[in-house]
């Protein structure tokens, strides 16, 4: 008889109750790493008082409660709660190649019957990259859960939102097949590892399954070979196109998967279909079960289940402090001067310039408002993803038709037209550089949006579907600012970030009417009160510094504007952990215009210098056409003085007629795709 611990047992998972009958032989399939529980009293013949156990070397067992010390040849007293715990140490080479028997005895230790188990052991492991190093390791103990942080675990899944097709294209996530092998790199590898006999015992099978809720967010494919081709054609076929049958989807929640026999691995490819959102936390579970037949005509029952968990990668915005890759602007019939300045700036900075021509933009020049660049990332792959705003101006086709493609993803949120306002344009969507706030790190920065004032009974807001999407990404916790005081209503009209070599690595730039009045009073005191703004501009009436300083109504309007900006300043200081030394006030003047009766909102009085494009250390700033002293624009000189101390070079771009007069500036008319963060989002601590 085997000793009670027969080789010892590892820590067991997946306990399974097993029925056995005396005087019968039962064939059992056992998964290595799982445990079979046999209630000995339940399966014993009537009047049984003792039992003994024998097994082959590959079988381990323990008895609970443990029997008192006795000779290993002596039968063990049978108690009402006696349980035999059986496990297998390694996979079988052949079916029924291991055995265990339980013999029962009466009061006088006479044999009453014997229960025999024929055991077949298989190793089964559904594996993912749970330690997030780009390699699918075997049977990671943490693969069935998710934990944030550098010491965390859990696999990452990308939304397959790019398009391998460049003609009649649509996002790959909307295709129910794999058109090109290159699409596999956008998916997460999942490996089924098995070891055991050449085939499973009759009736047993492996199935992969997912819940209805999770199936709406993923699809699973596996490699397959067209069975109707001969070997030569099959080899040629696999070079150009591979057949990847669909395993799981919203229509197929469960499907049998092959057991290959021997020592084998089968790859599966998991595709994300949607981003985290208000109704989806991003977590997905996929299960693999071994099913046991009971009787013909009856359903099989699961005897072992393995589970893996993925988190769908969030969409991540890129701040001005990250390295630019490509600059996007529109060409229109009237923006030659602006385009010339942008070409020179981008060429000097050493980046790519992509021009959207008028046959595509149809006169819509507001590249910033139509879209926002971001990216998605996993341990094995990343690619840029454009977020298309619900604004849907005449540029509405550009993100989809011109940007979506191989390794360039697309996502949008559709809102009811009645709900869309000017605040849904993405000049109203920015992101800060990385910050630490009260000891909490935001290594990917924080998203910034503009909304109506909290106490307003009416006003414009960014539509709920976009706000819900931004909040659900989780890794760049949004901040809401008050921007509805502006006629256009975008946060980029009064704030931006520029890189800096010291302090937190950046400065927050804020528009400041107070800074204008301070600068202009200095000019007046120095005898330059007659210096003129807008001098030399066609169709623009010049105005002197003195006239501005004497305009009490304009002063009152700018006092109001300054109070709105100061409210936002306090929010930004609190939410980004900033000091006053982290903020630079730029001299920018506003004026109020009547939008409706008794309703006034602000626009920039002269080109709004905070509405700039940031390309590394080069800044493309709206040319302000301010008053000149000794032939130099005072506003440009002040801007250079403030920026050059940070090692930043100012280039002033004439956007007056083609953008400023249409209530936008350089930033509104351009967009920048940037490199991703070095920091990996899954290492965030929550």
């Amino acid at each position: 008889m085997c000793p009670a611990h027969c080789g010892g047992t590892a820590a067991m998972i997946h306990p399974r109750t097993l029925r056995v009958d005396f005087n019968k032989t039962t064939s059992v399939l056992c998964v290595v790493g799982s445990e079979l529980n046999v209630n000995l009293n339940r399966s014993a013949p009537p009047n049984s008082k003792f039992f003994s156990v024998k097994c082959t070397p590959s079988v381990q067992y323990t008895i609970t409660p443990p029997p008192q010390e006795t000779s290993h040849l002596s039968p063990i007293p049978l108690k009402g709660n006696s349980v035999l715990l059986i496990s297998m140490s390694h996979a079988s080479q052949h079916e029924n190649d291991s055995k265990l028997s339980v013999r029962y005895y009466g009061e006088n230790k006479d044999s009453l019957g014997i229960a025999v188990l024929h055991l077949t052991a298989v190793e089964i492991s559904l594996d993912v990259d749970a330690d997030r190093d780009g390699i699918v390791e075997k049977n990671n103990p943490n693969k069935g859960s998710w934990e944030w942080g550098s010491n965390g675990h859990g696999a990452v899944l990308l939304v397959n939102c790019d398009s391998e097709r460049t003609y009649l294209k649509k996002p790959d996530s909307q295709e129910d097949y794999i058109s090109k092998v290159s699409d596999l790199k956008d998916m997460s590898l999942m490996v089924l590892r098995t070891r055991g006999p050449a085939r499973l015992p009759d009736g047993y099978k492996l199935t992969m399954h997912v819940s209805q809720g999770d199936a709406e967010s993923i699809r699973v494919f596996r490699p397959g070979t067209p069975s109707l081709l001969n070997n030569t054609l099959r080899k040629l076929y696999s070079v150009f196109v591979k057949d990847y049958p669909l395993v799981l989807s919203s229509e197929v929640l469960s499907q049998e998967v092959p057991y290959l026999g021997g020592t084998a691995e089968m790859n599966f490819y998991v595709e994300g279909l949607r981003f985290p959102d208000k109704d989806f936390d991003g977590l997905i579970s996929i299960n693999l079960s071994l099913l046991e037949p009971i009787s013909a005509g009856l359903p099989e029952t699961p005897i072992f289940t393995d589970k893996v968990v993925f988190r769908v990668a969030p969409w991540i915005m890129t701040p001005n402090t990250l390295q630019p890759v490509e600059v996007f602007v529109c060409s229109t019939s009237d923006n030659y001067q602006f385009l010339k300045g942008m070409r020179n700036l981008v060429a000097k900075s050493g980046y790519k310039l992509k021009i959207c021509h008028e046959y595509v933009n149809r006169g819509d020049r507001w590249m910033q408002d139509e879209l926002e660049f971001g990216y998605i990332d996993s341990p094995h792959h990343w690619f840029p993803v454009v977020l298309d705003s619900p604004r849907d101006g005449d540029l509405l086709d550009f993100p989809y038709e011109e940007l979506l493609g191989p390794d360039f993803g697309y996502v949008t949120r559709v809102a009811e037209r009645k709900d869309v306002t000017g605040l849904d344009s993405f000049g109203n969507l920015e992101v800060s550089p990385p910050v630490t706030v009260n000891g909490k790190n935001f290594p990917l920065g924080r998203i910034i949006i503009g909304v109506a004032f909290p106490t307003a009974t009416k006003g414009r807001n960014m539509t709920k579907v976009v706000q819900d999407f931004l909040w659900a990404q989780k890794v760049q916790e949004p901040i809401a600012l008050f921007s509805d005081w502006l006629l256009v209503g975008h946060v980029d009209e009064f704030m931006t970030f520029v890189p800096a070599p010291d302090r937190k690595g950046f400065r927050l730039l804020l528009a400041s009417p107070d800074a204008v009045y301070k600068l202009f009073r200095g000019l007046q005191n120095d005898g330059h009160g007659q210096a003129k703004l807008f001098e030399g501009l066609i169709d623009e009436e010049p105005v002197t510094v003195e006239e501005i300083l004497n305009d009490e109504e304009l002063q009152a309007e700018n006092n109001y504007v300054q109070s709105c900006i100061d409210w936002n300043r306090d929010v930004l200081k609190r939410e980004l952990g900033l000091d006053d030394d982290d903020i630079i006030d730029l001299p920018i003047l506003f004026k109020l215009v009547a939008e409706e009766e008794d309703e006034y909102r602000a626009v920039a009085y002269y080109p709004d210098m905070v509405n700039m494009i940031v390309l590394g250390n080069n800044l493309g700033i709206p040319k302000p056409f301010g008053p000149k002293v000794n032939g130099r624009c005072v506003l440009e000189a002040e801007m250079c003085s403030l920026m050059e101390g940070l090692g930043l070079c100012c280039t002033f771009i004439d956007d007056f007629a083609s953008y400023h007069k249409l209530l936008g500036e350089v930033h509104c008319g351009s967009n920048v795709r940037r490199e991703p963060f070095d920091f990996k989002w899954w290492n965030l601590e929550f």
Side-chain angles (χ1 to χ4, degrees):
M1 186 172 69
C2 296
H5 289 280
C6 198
T9 57
M12 289 295 160
I13 55 173
H14 309 296
R16 169 189 163 204
T17 298
L18 180 66
R19 290 180 63 253
V20 298
D21 293 315
F22 67 92
N23 292 337
K24 286 187 178 180
T25 298
T26 305
S27 292
V28 178
L29 187 61
C30 177
V31 178
V32 175
S34 67
E35 188 174 67
L36 303 175
N37 299 349
V38 178
N39 186 311
L40 292 171
N41 195 58
R42 182 170 142 191
S43 61
N47 303 316
S48 296
K49 301 297 181 182
F50 299 93
F51 70 94
S52 63
V53 182
K54 288 184 180 180
C55 65
T56 52
S58 60
V59 181
Q60 294 87 48
Y61 72 87
T62 58
I63 298 166
T64 63
Q68 295 179 345
E69 285 296 325
T70 181
S71 167
H72 74 276
L73 297 175
S74 301
I76 300 165
L78 180 65
K79 299 181 179 180
N81 59 347
S82 291
V83 176
L84 184 65
L85 309 178
I86 305 169
S87 63
M88 302 283 285
S89 60
H90 56 267
S92 299
Q93 291 187 341
H94 307 286
E95 188 175 344
N96 296 331
D97 63 359
S98 298
K99 294 180 176 60
L100 180 142
S101 63
V102 181
R103 185 176 293 275
Y104 294 96
Y105 306 90
E107 186 73 44
N108 298 320
K109 298 186 179 177
D110 50 319
S111 178
L112 299 179
I114 185 170
V116 178
L117 294 179
H118 286 181
L119 295 156
T120 305
V122 293
E123 288 184 18
I124 300 173
S125 176
L126 187 61
D127 293 325
V128 291
D129 179 17
D131 59 4
R132 307 192 282 239
D133 65 354
I135 300 170
V136 177
E137 65 277 7
K138 185 174 181 180
N139 215 15
N140 188 310
N142 296 316
K143 65 186 180 181
S145 62
W146 172 275
E147 185 176 307
W148 292 88
S150 56
N151 296 317
H153 57 262
V156 175
L157 186 63
L158 296 177
V159 176
N160 194 10
C161 59
D162 67 339
S163 176
E164 298 302 317
R165 289 165 52 176
T166 54
Y167 178 70
L168 295 177
K169 62 187 175 183
K170 56 183 175 180
D172 293 330
S173 57
Q174 295 179 18
E175 305 273 17
D176 59 2
Y177 60 92
I178 296 174
S179 60
K180 293 186 178 180
V181 177
S182 55
D183 195 27
L184 297 179
K185 68 180 181 299
D186 301 331
M187 304 182 189
S188 291
L189 181 62
M190 181 171 66
V191 181
L192 170 58
R193 294 183 168 106
T194 55
R195 179 178 295 175
R199 56 184 293 276
L200 293 176
D202 286 345
Y204 286 88
K205 62 184 180 182
L206 289 172
T207 64
M208 190 172 288
H209 50 104
V210 67
S211 71
Q212 179 72 64
D214 285 355
E216 295 173 1
S217 304
I218 60 161
R219 279 197 298 249
V220 179
F221 298 87
R222 70 170 177 87
T225 305
S227 58
L228 300 179
L229 301 178
N230 63 39
N231 288 336
T232 302
L233 287 175
R234 188 177 293 128
K235 289 177 182 177
L236 288 172
Y237 184 89
S238 65
V239 171
F240 301 105
V241 181
K242 288 188 179 293
D243 177 33
Y244 289 86
L246 191 60
V247 180
L248 297 178
S249 68
S250 58
E251 286 78 36
V252 183
L253 303 183
S254 178
Q255 186 168 158
E256 183 177 356
V257 296
Y259 170 81
L260 299 181
T263 300
E265 293 187 355
M266 175 172 284
N267 289 344
F268 293 82
Y269 298 92
V270 187
E271 171 185 57
L273 301 182
R274 61 176 184 146
F275 283 91
D277 215 322
K278 183 182 180 182
D279 59 345
F280 174 46
D281 64 5
L283 290 173
I284 293 291
S285 297
I286 299 175
N287 303 280
L288 181 83
S289 291
L290 177 61
L291 301 185
E292 178 183 52
I294 300 300
S295 182
L298 296 177
E300 304 96 345
T301 58
I303 59 172
F304 169 84
T305 297
D306 208 3
K307 181 179 85 168
V308 296
V309 168
F310 291 92
R311 178 178 279 277
V312 175
W315 179 77
I316 300 172
M317 284 182 66
T318 52
N320 287 348
T321 48
L322 289 176
Q323 185 79 4
V325 175
E326 199 169 13
V327 179
F328 294 80
V329 294
C330 288
S331 172
T332 62
S333 60
D334 62 349
N335 75 340
Y336 171 78
Q337 195 67 30
F338 168 82
L339 211 54
K340 180 181 176 182
M342 289 296 295
R343 285 183 192 274
N344 292 338
L345 172 67
V346 175
K348 178 174 72 173
S349 304
Y351 305 115
K352 297 177 184 176
L353 178 66
K354 182 164 184 176
I355 297 174
C356 175
H357 295 286
E358 196 157 15
Y359 69 88
V360 175
N361 67 53
R362 295 175 290 189
D364 185 350
R365 67 200 68 212
W366 308 113
M367 182 63 77
Q368 183 67 221
D369 290 338
E370 186 59 42
L371 58 96
E372 189 67 53
F373 287 109
Y375 69 96
I376 56 176
D377 193 14
S378 74
H380 69 278
H381 190 49
W382 78 274
F383 56 83
V385 176
V386 60
L387 175 63
D388 190 0
S389 90
R391 162 188 182 262
D392 287 348
D394 285 333
L395 264 171
L396 71 113
D397 293 334
F398 177 78
Y400 194 95
E401 296 297 336
E402 302 296 323
L403 298 177
L404 173 64
D407 276 343
F408 208 122
Y410 172 91
V411 62
T412 191
R413 284 296 175 267
V414 178
E416 295 283 342
R417 292 308 302 164
K418 63 181 177 60
D419 297 331
V420 177
T421 71
L423 273 64
D424 291 305
S425 296
F426 284 166
N428 198 34
L429 174 61
E430 296 299 319
V431 65
S432 79
V435 291
T436 299
V437 185
N438 297 324
K440 182 178 180 180
N441 291 325
F442 295 91
L444 302 174
R446 298 188 67 180
I447 285 172
I448 296 168
I449 64 171
V451 298
F453 196 70
T455 59
T457 55
K458 64 176 182 176
R460 301 166 298 170
N461 272 299
M462 180 176 282
T463 190
K464 188 174 184 296
V465 291
V466 175
Q467 291 201 50
D468 288 343
F469 173 82
L470 297 173
W471 275 98
Q473 305 316 302
K474 194 176 175 72
V475 298
Q476 295 177 304
E477 184 181 320
I479 302 166
L481 298 182
F482 169 40
S483 67
D484 193 35
W485 56 274
L486 289 152
L487 180 63
V488 175
H490 299 172
V491 293
D492 69 351
E493 297 176 75
F494 64 86
M495 60 159 291
T496 194
F497 298 94
V498 294
D502 56 356
R503 296 186 64 79
K504 296 177 174 66
F506 68 89
R507 293 290 190 277
L508 167 63
L509 307 186
L510 287 178
S512 173
D514 282 356
V516 177
Y517 282 99
K518 181 178 181 180
L519 182 64
F520 282 11
R521 289 189 189 105
L523 288 178
Q524 186 181 47
N525 291 342
D526 292 339
H528 301 294
Q530 294 305 306
K532 296 177 180 179
L533 288 81
F534 311 135
E535 201 165 28
L537 280 173
I538 299 174
D539 298 329
E540 203 66 32
E541 187 70 31
V543 57
T544 67
V545 168
E546 197 166 273
E547 285 172 331
I548 287 175
L549 292 176
N550 291 338
D551 189 333
E552 293 183 0
E553 184 177 343
L554 184 65
Q555 173 79 70
E557 292 174 358
N558 276 277
N559 288 344
Y560 164 72
V561 167
Q562 187 68 62
S563 70
C564 294
I565 294 173
D566 285 345
W567 192 91
N568 288 311
R569 180 192 188 99
D570 293 339
V571 173
L572 289 164
K573 286 173 67 175
R574 180 174 66 250
E575 297 294 335
L576 297 179
L578 303 181
D579 302 320
D580 283 324
D581 287 343
D582 298 312
I583 302 172
I584 296 176
D585 292 314
L586 304 185
I588 297 164
L589 202 63
F590 292 83
K591 60 184 177 182
L592 297 187
V593 296
E595 191 179 29
E596 297 177 9
E597 188 176 350
D598 297 327
E599 190 169 328
Y600 295 86
R601 288 190 167 99
V603 299
Y605 188 88
Y606 50 76
D608 184 350
M609 294 186 293
V610 79
N611 194 271
M612 64 177 70
I613 185 172
V614 180
L615 301 178
N617 292 329
N618 291 316
L619 309 180
I621 302 168
K623 185 175 180 64
F625 293 96
K628 292 181 179 179
V629 173
N630 298 324
R632 187 179 186 193
C633 172
V634 172
L635 293 171
E636 290 187 18
E638 178 69 8
M639 191 73 191
C640 290
S641 173
L642 293 170
M643 295 297 101
E644 288 171 357
L646 301 174
L648 302 175
C649 177
C650 299
T651 298
F652 294 93
I653 295 174
D654 181 359
D655 72 351
F656 197 94
S658 55
Y659 289 85
H660 172 71
K661 295 288 282 184
L662 301 175
L663 305 181
E665 309 287 359
V666 170
H667 187 259
C668 305
S670 61
N671 219 314
V672 184
R673 182 169 72 86
R674 301 179 185 273
E675 294 284 358
F677 284 99
D678 291 331
F679 183 87
K680 301 302 182 182
W681 62 266
W682 52 86
N683 289 330
L684 274 165
E685 302 286 347
F686 283 101

